[in-house]
Amino acid sequence: DAGVTQSPTHLIKTRGQQVTLRCSPKSGHDTVSWYQQALGQGPQFIFQYYEEEERQRGNFPDRFSGHQFPNYSSELNVNALLLGDSALYLCASSSTRLAENYNEQFFGPGTRLTVL
Amino acid sequence: AQSVSQHNHHVILSEAASLELGCNYSYGGTVNLFWYVQYPGQHLQLLLKYFSGDPLVKGIKGFEAEFIKSKFSFNLRKPSVQWSDTAEYFCAVKPPSGSARQLTFGSGTQLTVLP
């Protein structure tokens, strides 16, 4: 049973460019959350997707957008990249259906984004 | 909005020493509480969680945590640390309304265990 997977592992972009990060949730999970982890900080919530809609959003500008597909996988898009967007981007999945671990989020390995 | 404070940014211990990492949260209602660990080069893994019931919860690898509601605290403990416990530890809270709520993390505590 594969856990949460993310691609790519690492990415280098320049200021002003756009980037797309991808996430496949753990088998049986239908909800995907995205977090940004800056160096030396804890993860910060960006947004959450369920039933292909953004259900909750943290304090991030609308340069950050996302999408969820019918197979529950998800993308995070960041436009007009800034130096400050350099961080580890984490995807976490959870389930609204499974009684066990109902409140638990499982994390992927992350995508390390460097903006030059 | 909820917030989480982890008091120690970096803790250095020798093997076999006892560990206690502090975590305090602010939230005006019932919360679910978590400790995650991030080993070097690995993804965040759940150490333990508290939803309800016995406030002393046991997790993997000999870790435990105690929820003290009156102090809004959820401190992580281990009686005897090992070199392999070197990692970053994050406390997190979430309202208990299912998975449709965000986790709020503390800034983390880097634990270094000297052999």
Side-chain angles (χ1 to χ4, degrees), chain B:
Chain B
Q2 59 264 33
S3 65
V4 179
S5 296
Q6 292 184 243
H7 317 296
N8 309 103
H9 294 295
H10 195 180
V11 172
I12 301 173
L13 296 172
S14 298
E15 275 194 315
S18 64
L19 169 72
E20 180 160 3
L21 300 182
C23 172
N24 285 90
Y25 68 93
S26 65
Y27 182 70
T30 306
V31 291
N32 295 149
L33 296 154
F34 305 82
W35 275 97
Y36 282 87
V37 61
Q38 194 169 34
Y39 297 103
Q42 296 189 27
H43 61 279
L44 275 170
Q45 302 172 41
L46 184 67
L47 266 182
L48 48 80
K49 59 191 176 187
Y50 173 79
F51 289 169
S52 63
D54 189 345
L56 184 61
V57 293
K58 296 189 183 300
I60 61 172
K61 304 186 181 186
F63 286 91
E64 64 179 30
E66 184 176 14
F67 170 52
I68 303 179
K69 189 175 181 180
S70 61
K71 295 184 178 180
F72 298 90
S73 70
F74 190 56
N75 292 353
L76 181 70
R77 300 195 293 248
K78 186 171 184 179
S80 175
V81 295
Q82 300 173 313
W83 176 79
S84 58
D85 292 325
T86 294
E88 188 146 25
Y89 293 80
F90 294 95
C91 181
V93 303
K94 186 172 81 67
S97 303
S99 62
R101 293 292 184 269
Q102 68 190 71
L103 278 166
T104 299
F105 285 87
S107 57
T109 297
Q110 176 64 48
L111 171 66
T112 301
V113 180
L114 304 175

Side-chain angles (χ1 to χ4, degrees), chain A residues 46-58:
Chain A
I46 302 174
F47 43 52
Q48 184 181 83
Y49 276 83
Y50 171 69
E51 292 188 335
E52 303 179 47
E53 290 190 359
E54 182 183 295
R55 186 158 62 170
Q56 192 176 11
R57 189 177 183 94

Side-chain angles (χ1 to χ4, degrees), chain A residues 17-47:
Chain A
Q17 283 190 310
Q18 178 264 346
V19 69
T20 297
L21 311 181
R22 295 175 177 83
C23 171
S24 291
K26 185 176 166 62
S27 177
H29 286 186
D30 55 7
T31 302
V32 173
S33 302
W34 286 93
Y35 294 81
Q36 180 194 66
Q37 187 178 12
L39 200 61
Q41 299 295 319
Q44 285 198 297
F45 176 75
I46 302 174
F47 43 52

